[in-house]
């Protein structure tokens, strides 16, 4: 067999190991190790790579952000922030039809802003909100479906551990990815609220009512969420204002939530040790998956599978939008079977070169030149520019044609095709990352094997899984509509990025 054939054969071998319940990190590591031995005809290259890959993976400064964000989520739970968020949202929304469920979604979005993990958000908010939903007469399937869907917000709304890993894999700016995730995250929360509103109108008996809370209590509950706003503003705001790097911001956030948890009485010596142990275990699991993925992806690179796949797709003349749609459908299906981190580590090195080779035409050179020209003209006509030159520039801007070198020289600007291509590549990478993250998270709540559904249903064993499946379809529908919108209008995702 050729090296390329060995690389292709590794995919079914990997799938067999995964379906035999071999841990995903170990499965990728074993297939990569055996594949390297097979391709190179000996163990020397494989063992040398094992030494180098292990060191370079675990010595990466950027990866220190992972345990910090995980620790921040644990401290936030100990500090009672999840409960404070739910009570505040419930006070303002709880008296409406389906309002307690809407409050759970709002609380999940808020907690996701200081957690960064989908499963942790679902489990934490499940413990807080599920008893309240039961108390006010919400149907079991509707309650569990709401919390399972709300949990997916934890990984999309910044900060997000998976976005950090994606940024490292694709060599993108972490801060820009966080910024791009804001609007899609807000759209997700709004879409879920609309899904709840539609559900309770179609099934009025699925949601009970609760009496309105006096405004004094509402504002008091709102005040109690100030720690969440403080931590989120300090971490995310500090990153964008340049006070510290994302890694330093994660450390600041972990320290801030620890201080708040201590003063709220939730952080004791025992709980501190327990938080460190739980964080260490989670970090070790994530790092081992990253190591396995790095080893497997190194083997794939040696066999030229990603490059050959990219060349094949480009040579077929497929529309970039068709290729993107097929990739997203793949993620939607396999997201039901794997967690988001494993999926991204396994597939991004394969799919990202394909997407990078496509021309989505997100950036227009004439539009960039026109923007730069209008910025100059806004401050007045440059000295020495004649009326004829000014008229020609204004005509080019109005008709959307490229500026000539002479026109750009007169304006004192330099906007080239190379600059446009670099920005296009960055925007495509960020846009694709957000889309992938969304569809993988949709897989977590897609029947019959969505992981979030099983986590929440384990907290409410009296509710049949089939009832959860029926209710969660409304949230899956909301997600699919959101994906279609974000694919059709990339500017929604890229709107907040600096020019």
């Amino acid at each position: 067999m050729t090296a390329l054939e060995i690389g292709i054969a590794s995919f079914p071998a990997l799938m067999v190991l995964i379906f035999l319940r071999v841990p995903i990190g170990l499965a990728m590591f074993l297939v990569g190790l055996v594949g390297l031995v097979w391709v190179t005809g000996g163990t020397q290259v494989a063992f040398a790579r094992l030494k180098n890959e292990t060191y370079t993976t675990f010595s990466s400064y950027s990866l220190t952000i992972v345990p910090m964000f995980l620790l921040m989520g644990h401290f936030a739970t100990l500090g009672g922030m999840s409960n404070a968020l739910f009570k505040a949202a419930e006070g303002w929304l709880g008296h409406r039809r389906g309002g307690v469920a809407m409050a759970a979604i709002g609380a999940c979005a808020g907690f996701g802003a200081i957690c960064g993990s989908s499963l942790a958000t679902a489990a934490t908010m499940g413990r807080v909100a599920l008893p309240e939903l039961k108390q006010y007469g919400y149907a079991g399937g509707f309650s569990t479906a709401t919390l399972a869907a709300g949990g997916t917000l934890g990984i999309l709304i910044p900060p997000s551990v998976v976005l950090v890993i994606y940024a490292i894999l694709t060599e993108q700016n972490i801060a820009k990815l966080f910024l791009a995730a804001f609007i899609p995250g807000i759209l997700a929360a709004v879409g879920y609220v609309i899904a709840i509103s539609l559900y309770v109108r179609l099934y009025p008996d699925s949601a009970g009512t609760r009496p309105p809370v006096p405004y004094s209590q509402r504002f008091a509950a709102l005040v109690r969420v100030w720690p969440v706003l403080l931590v989120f503003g300090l971490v995310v705001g500090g990153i964008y204002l340049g006070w510290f790097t994302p890694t330093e911001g994660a450390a600041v956030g972990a320290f801030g939530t620890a201080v708040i948890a201590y003063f709220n009485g939730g952080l004791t010596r025992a709980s501190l040790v327990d938080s460190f142990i739980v964080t260490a275990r989670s970090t070790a699991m994530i790092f081992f998956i990253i190591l396995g993925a790095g080893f497997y992806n190194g083997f794939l690179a040696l066999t030229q599978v990603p490059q050959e796949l990219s060349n094949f797709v480009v040579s077929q003349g497929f529309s970039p939008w068709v290729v993107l749609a097929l990739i997203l459908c793949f993620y939607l299906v396999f997201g039901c079977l794997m967690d988001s981190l494993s999926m991204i580590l396994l597939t991004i090195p394969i799919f990202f070169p394909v997407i990078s080779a496509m021309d989505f035409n997100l950036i227009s050179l004439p539009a960039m030149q026109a923007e730069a020209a209008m910025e100059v003209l806004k401050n007045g006509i440059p000295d020495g520019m004649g009326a004829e030159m000014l008229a020609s520039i204004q005509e080019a801007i109005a008709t959307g044609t490229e500026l000539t070198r002479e026109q750009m020289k007169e304006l004192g600007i330099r906007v080239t095709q190379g600059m446009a291509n670099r920005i296009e590549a960055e925007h495509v990478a960020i846009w694709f990352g957000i889309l992938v993250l969304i569809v993988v998270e949709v897989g977590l709540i897609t029947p019959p094997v969505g992981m979030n559904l099983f986590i929440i249903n384990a907290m409410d064993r009296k509710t049949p899984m089939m009832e959860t499946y029926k209710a969660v379809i409304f949230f899956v529908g909301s997600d699919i509509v959101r994906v279609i919108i974000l694919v059709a209008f990339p500017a929604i995702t890229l709107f907040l990025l600096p020019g």
Side-chain angles (χ1 to χ4, degrees):
M1 296 178 67
T2 65
L4 181 62
E5 291 171 339
I6 294 173
I8 295 173
S10 70
F11 288 107
L14 181 61
M15 290 298 107
V16 168
L17 289 177
I18 291 172
F19 284 115
L20 289 175
R21 305 186 71 83
V22 176
I24 180 71
L26 181 59
M28 288 190 288
F29 175 78
L30 289 176
V31 173
L33 181 64
V34 173
L36 278 174
V37 172
W38 194 353
V39 169
T40 59
T43 60
Q44 185 175 358
V45 174
F47 287 163
R49 182 167 181 80
L50 176 59
K51 177 184 67 176
N52 296 332
E53 189 72 36
T54 303
Y55 175 76
T56 55
T57 297
F58 297 145
S59 64
S60 172
Y61 176 71
S62 298
L63 282 179
T64 57
I65 198 173
V66 173
M68 291 295 100
F69 278 145
L70 293 175
L71 191 61
M72 186 168 71
H74 286 296
F75 287 155
T77 303
L78 292 174
M81 296 184 190
S82 56
N83 188 65
L85 283 165
F86 179 69
K87 290 298 181 183
E90 187 184 33
W92 289 91
L93 298 172
H95 61 282
R96 299 178 181 275
R97 183 185 294 180
V100 181
M102 295 177 186
I105 293 296
C108 285
F111 191 73
I114 52 173
C115 178
S117 168
S118 174
L119 300 181
T121 300
T124 301
M125 296 311 304
R127 288 191 293 268
V128 172
L130 196 55
E132 293 283 325
L133 290 164
K134 292 290 186 181
Q135 178 182 344
Y136 291 109
Y138 281 69
F142 180 40
S143 301
T144 52
T146 297
L147 293 171
T152 64
L153 299 174
I155 207 168
L156 180 58
I157 295 178
S160 168
V161 171
V162 176
L163 276 182
V164 171
I165 303 301
Y166 176 86
I168 294 171
L169 285 175
T170 59
E171 300 181 347
Q172 298 302 312
N173 184 286
I174 295 175
K176 288 184 178 180
L177 273 165
F178 282 178
L179 199 60
F182 267 113
I183 294 180
I186 293 171
L187 284 178
V190 172
Y192 288 162
V193 168
I194 294 173
I196 290 170
S197 181
L198 291 174
Y199 189 89
V200 297
R201 278 164 174 74
L202 291 173
Y203 304 100
D205 296 335
S206 63
T209 57
R210 54 155 293 173
V213 175
Y215 277 95
S216 59
Q217 295 183 23
R218 296 186 192 185
F219 284 109
L222 202 59
V223 169
R224 283 193 285 271
V225 303
W226 70 265
V228 178
L229 299 177
L230 176 64
V231 171
F232 179 75
L234 184 62
V235 173
V236 178
I239 291 172
Y240 295 124
L241 292 175
W243 295 349
F244 32 69
T245 66
T247 305
E248 293 165 348
V252 170
F255 177 76
T257 50
V259 171
I260 293 168
Y262 175 77
F263 283 106
N264 285 345
L267 187 63
T268 63
R269 181 177 296 180
S271 62
L272 178 63
V273 172
D274 184 61
S275 295
F276 285 153
I277 292 173
V278 172
T279 299
R281 286 175 178 168
S282 300
T283 302
M285 178 191 69
I286 292 172
F287 276 25
F288 186 70
I289 294 174
I290 293 173
L291 175 63
F295 213 74
Y296 180 63
N297 293 328
F299 154 68
L300 287 181
L302 184 64
T303 63
Q304 297 288 304
V305 169
Q307 296 87 335
E308 291 297 327
L309 178 61
S310 174
N311 294 336
F312 172 77
V313 173
V314 172
S315 66
Q316 297 304 305
F318 295 132
S319 165
W321 302 96
V322 172
V323 174
L324 176 63
L326 291 174
I327 291 176
L328 294 181
C329 288
F330 171 88
Y331 277 116
L332 187 62
V333 173
F334 276 82
C336 302
L337 308 176
M338 299 184 198
D339 65 275
S340 52
L341 178 60
S342 300
M343 277 290 294
I344 285 176
L345 283 167
L346 176 62
T347 59
I348 285 300
I350 300 170
F351 289 148
F352 185 69
V354 175
I355 291 296
S356 299
M358 296 287 170
D359 182 13
F360 289 93
N361 198 26
L362 300 184
I363 299 297
S364 167
L365 177 60
M368 285 183 59
Q369 292 175 336
E371 184 178 356
M374 288 188 290
E375 187 66 27
V376 172
L377 295 176
K378 183 174 66 175
N379 298 320
I381 301 173
D383 294 337
M385 179 180 291
E388 186 177 347
M389 175 61 72
L390 176 61
S392 68
I393 292 173
Q394 290 174 333
E395 182 181 359
I397 293 174
T399 57
T401 56
E402 291 186 27
L403 297 178
T404 64
R405 289 185 179 180
E406 291 74 16
Q407 289 171 332
M408 286 193 287
K409 184 177 180 180
E410 287 285 335
L411 290 165
I413 62 174
R414 184 175 180 272
V415 182
T416 65
Q417 186 63 54
M419 296 168 61
N421 291 342
R422 286 193 294 272
I423 296 175
E424 165 90 9
E426 181 185 55
H427 282 197
V428 167
I430 291 173
W431 174 56
F432 179 63
I434 300 301
L435 290 175
V436 167
L437 188 63
I438 292 172
V439 292
V440 169
E441 289 302 300
V442 175
L444 290 178
I445 60 171
T446 302
V449 285
M451 293 176 62
N452 270 21
L453 302 179
F454 288 98
I455 288 176
I456 297 298
N457 253 74
M459 300 180 182
D460 185 19
R461 297 189 180 276
K462 294 182 180 179
T463 299
M465 182 62 79
M466 190 56 66
E467 291 186 14
T468 304
Y469 287 164
K470 292 178 181 178
V472 84
I473 292 300
F474 283 76
F475 297 99
V476 173
S478 170
D479 282 327
I480 291 175
V481 170
R482 175 164 49 104
V483 170
I484 292 172
I485 291 173
L486 294 177
V487 169
F489 304 101
I492 295 175
T493 303
L494 306 172
F495 175 73
L496 295 179
L497 295 184

